[in-house]
Amino acid sequence: MVDLGAAVRSWRGGSGTMVLVAVLLAGFVAYLVFANYAAAERMRQSLREQALADAQQQAQPLRDFVDEQTTTVSDLALSPEVVGYFENRALGMSLAYGLRQSLLLISERFDQLRERRRHGPRHVFSALCLVDSAGVLLTSSPAIGGHGTAAVSASSVLVSFDTQRDELCIAVPVQHRERRVGVVVGMVDAEMLWRIAGCSLRRDHRAFLVFTGESPRAVGPAGRLELPSGLPVDLGVAQVVDVGAGSQASLLAIAPVPGLPFTVVTQHASEDYLGAAPLRSLVATIVLATLLLGIAAVLVLQVLRSRRLSEMLGEMRIREAIENERNRANLDRERTARTQAEDEATQLGYAIEQAGEAVVILDTDGIIRYVNDAFVRSSGWTRHEAVGMSQDILRSDLHDQAFYEAMWTDLRAGRLWQGRIVNRRRKDGSVLHEDVTISPVRDADGRIRSFIAVKRDVTSILRMEEQLRQAQKLESIGQLAAGIAHEINTPIQFIGDNLSFLSDGFKELSEAARAGPRASSDLDYLLAEIPKALAESRDGIQRVAQIVLAMKEFSHPNGQTLVPADINHAVSSTVTVSRNEWKYVAEMRLELAPDLPLIPLLVGDFNQALLNLIVNAAHAIEERRSAQRSTEPGRIAISTRIAEGMVEVRIADDGCGIPDHIRHRIFEPFFTTKAVGKGTGQGLPLVHAVVVKRLGGSIDVESKVGTGTAFILRLPLTLTSPT
């Protein structure tokens, strides 16, 4: 039999359990329902905050953008071109005498700035204007009228919005002597501002800018828009506003840009962005829970999903915050780097423009694209005349075509070229000597885009060097004058004695002829001695002529051009002129190769250099003889030969020699080891300048203290272009 009591007890216990389970399930379902409702409400609130944060995120780049452009316009107001214009204007300069050129420079500066400042393919500034204090538009880029005249009364930086043109106006006053004399105005159209604010918005959002003021304007990607209905009056407060109803309901996130007359507004469709209303979700959930309690597990999963979404949303916010901070730091670094680059470029431009050396920039075809002020001063060509012309206008025809072809071959091969060029001036036709360094300028891909030439005018230096050499030559002639006079006096004396003898002999011969057969007993003597006297006189005259010719050749003024010359003849002439300097202390030995060809020389300069070496050799021998108390004459040997494709001239002596510790300084100007009043320190530097710099040769020195010194001069055989 069935135990009814047990069954009842079992039923009661089971029903109680079922009731308890039902209550727990109902409570659990209710918990799930209300938890889902709360999570949905939190999600909606979080999304509303996110929408506002997105709008505010777009407002900050606008603030930074406007600050950056304000700084740019301020730099223009302080630029040398703008300040220089008002200084010239204050001095009373008219448009015909300087002001028009100043305005052209300002316009060029505006054009260059607009070209550099771009956002994508568009100019950041729709216009840049300069307006004077009376509201007169002085210049603009591009050429327009009426821009910025509303801001002429600005006494400080003013940012406003032109509702007629839908443009942001940045006005910066120009001060001159603590007085506002004008305004620099930068115009940025509203569409550019929308691009700055809306370029990173999501595509499912509608974004636009509302410009506050007496007549608010809304601007989107396609230009001006109608203001959305329900937009609050106070747009200066960050807020989220619900407008519309039903399927037309939308969410407006309003983020004013601090300190600027416009607000970023993003519009989201409420149902798409926030989802269904929480109350409807609650009803649906209760009905579903009432019908199917079994989906409690699903509700639990829903709660877990909601929590996970909340966690993901939190993580997303953290990541976005980190990314925003990183982007802001990158933007700051880029802005700093750009500012530094612009400052460096400006300083470089000033440095090149004000450099003491002439700077010329050529394109790859040799057309002049830029010259600085030093070029204008040295060449006589104005900047307007030179720019756009070929560099051939500077040629003086003193270099052959091969010289220029070799130069351009090196440059187009990417090699640095250095040398001295003789160019011509425009106005007076005179030539100028310039030390030139030309460097290729490459782009980022390594291709040669242009060439920059730095030129130093050495015409006056060469002229002074030539004058100094001539003065030194004349000084040498003056020092040698007494010795040369003595050399001439000796043959003149015996010529005079022989002439006296010939006069007396002629009288005796005349008397003998008259006497007839009674000849004088001295007739035989006279017939024997008169030819000897005539021969001696001819030798004396040749000696005097030789000395005079050598003196003439030595003192002849120098030219600037290398000419073929006989180096043996130059050596012989210099030895003759300097004879009185060495004949009392040394014997001279010449070993001159008879087969030497003519070589390119500056004869006067080479004679002076050789004279300096001979005089130094004589002084060194005299110093050794004094130190050793010797009366034996020293030895000076000069030889010439061809060695290793060059003419070698060797001047050796057995004088005191040069100590090793000063040998490296002997060619330094004004360095001398002689006593005060006996040495100027200019002899050997002149030798080095003539042989190495002017003749393209070389000098070697062999010396040993107490034994002697040898200078070996090596000169090229071929004629080269003048330097």
Side-chain angles (χ1 to χ4, degrees), residues 326-512:
R326 185 182 294 114
N327 291 339
R328 183 172 299 173
N330 291 337
L331 182 61
D332 290 341
R333 284 194 295 270
E334 291 177 1
R335 184 163 56 244
T336 301
R338 184 166 59 250
T339 301
Q340 291 176 349
E342 291 176 353
D343 291 343
E344 291 174 359
T346 301
Q347 291 298 324
L348 178 60
Y350 289 156
I352 293 176
E353 188 64 31
Q354 301 173 22
E357 284 75 22
V359 178
V360 181
I361 297 178
L362 309 168
D363 62 16
T364 54
D365 295 325
I367 303 301
I368 298 174
R369 297 305 179 191
Y370 169 82
V371 296
N372 67 348
D373 290 342
F375 172 87
V376 175
R377 292 193 299 270
S378 65
S379 70
W381 292 84
T382 66
R383 184 170 301 175
H384 177 72
E385 292 169 332
V387 173
M389 299 293 289
S390 171
Q391 54 89 26
D392 293 343
I393 63 174
L394 304 176
R395 290 190 181 184
S396 63
D397 297 331
L398 294 180
H399 301 284
D400 55 19
Q401 185 63 26
F403 172 84
Y404 292 102
E405 290 177 354
M407 178 185 72
W408 279 105
T409 299
D410 288 345
L411 291 175
R412 292 192 172 101
R415 293 187 291 269
L416 180 74
W417 189 90
Q418 290 179 312
R420 180 167 293 172
I421 298 180
V422 183
N423 286 325
R424 69 182 180 91
R425 301 180 189 268
R426 178 183 63 83
K427 295 180 179 179
D428 56 9
S430 62
V431 298
L432 65 156
H433 298 257
E434 295 177 309
D435 286 339
V436 182
T437 299
I438 308 178
S439 306
V441 179
R442 303 177 186 271
D443 59 14
D445 297 328
R447 292 175 296 185
I448 297 175
R449 291 300 188 186
S450 59
F451 303 97
I452 181 168
V454 179
K455 308 196 296 183
R456 180 168 175 258
D457 187 357
V458 295
T459 306
S460 59
I461 296 176
L462 294 179
R463 187 180 300 113
M464 288 189 291
E465 289 178 352
E466 178 63 25
Q467 293 173 353
L468 177 61
R469 283 192 294 272
Q470 191 64 22
Q472 290 175 337
K473 185 183 297 182
L474 294 176
E475 181 183 359
S476 300
I477 293 173
Q479 294 173 349
L480 296 173
I484 293 172
H486 178 73
E487 291 296 318
I488 293 176
N489 185 58
T490 299
I492 289 296
Q493 284 181 349
F494 68 73
I495 289 172
D497 294 341
N498 286 336
L499 289 176
S500 298
F501 170 73
L502 289 173
S503 177
D504 295 340
F506 180 77
K507 291 179 180 179
E508 293 185 12
L509 287 175
S510 297
E511 292 174 357

Side-chain angles (χ1 to χ4, degrees), residues 137-149:
L137 178 63
L138 301 175
T139 185
S140 65
S141 174
I144 50 177
H147 271 284
T149 55

Side-chain angles (χ1 to χ4, degrees), residues 618-698:
H619 291 174
I621 293 172
E622 183 178 8
E623 183 178 343
R624 178 186 59 78
R625 293 177 65 198
S626 298
Q628 297 176 356
R629 297 182 179 179
S630 173
T631 59
E632 291 295 324
R635 179 181 56 84
I636 300 175
I638 302 178
S639 63
T640 60
R641 63 170 185 160
I642 294 181
E644 299 179 357
M646 303 185 79
V647 172
E648 180 180 288
V649 182
R650 185 183 185 93
I651 303 96
D653 65 70
D654 58 354
C656 59
I658 303 173
D660 292 339
H661 69 279
I662 65 171
R663 190 177 303 172
H664 66 285
R665 299 188 59 192
I666 60 175
F667 295 115
E668 294 181 7
F670 307 108
F671 176 77
T672 181
T673 58
K674 298 178 182 179
V676 176
K678 291 188 176 182
T680 64
Q682 291 295 304
L684 290 180
L686 184 141
V687 174
H688 185 272
V690 170
V691 175
V692 177
K693 295 183 178 180
R694 305 205 70 194
L695 300 179
S698 64

Side-chain angles (χ1 to χ4, degrees), residues 667 698-702 710-714:
F667 295 115
S698 64
I699 304 176
D700 289 333
V701 181
E702 299 174 356
F711 286 86
I712 301 96
L713 315 182
R714 294 184 177 88

Side-chain angles (χ1 to χ4, degrees), residues 267-279:
Q267 186 175 15
H268 312 261
S270 296
E271 189 167 354
D272 294 336
Y273 186 73
L274 301 178
L279 186 57

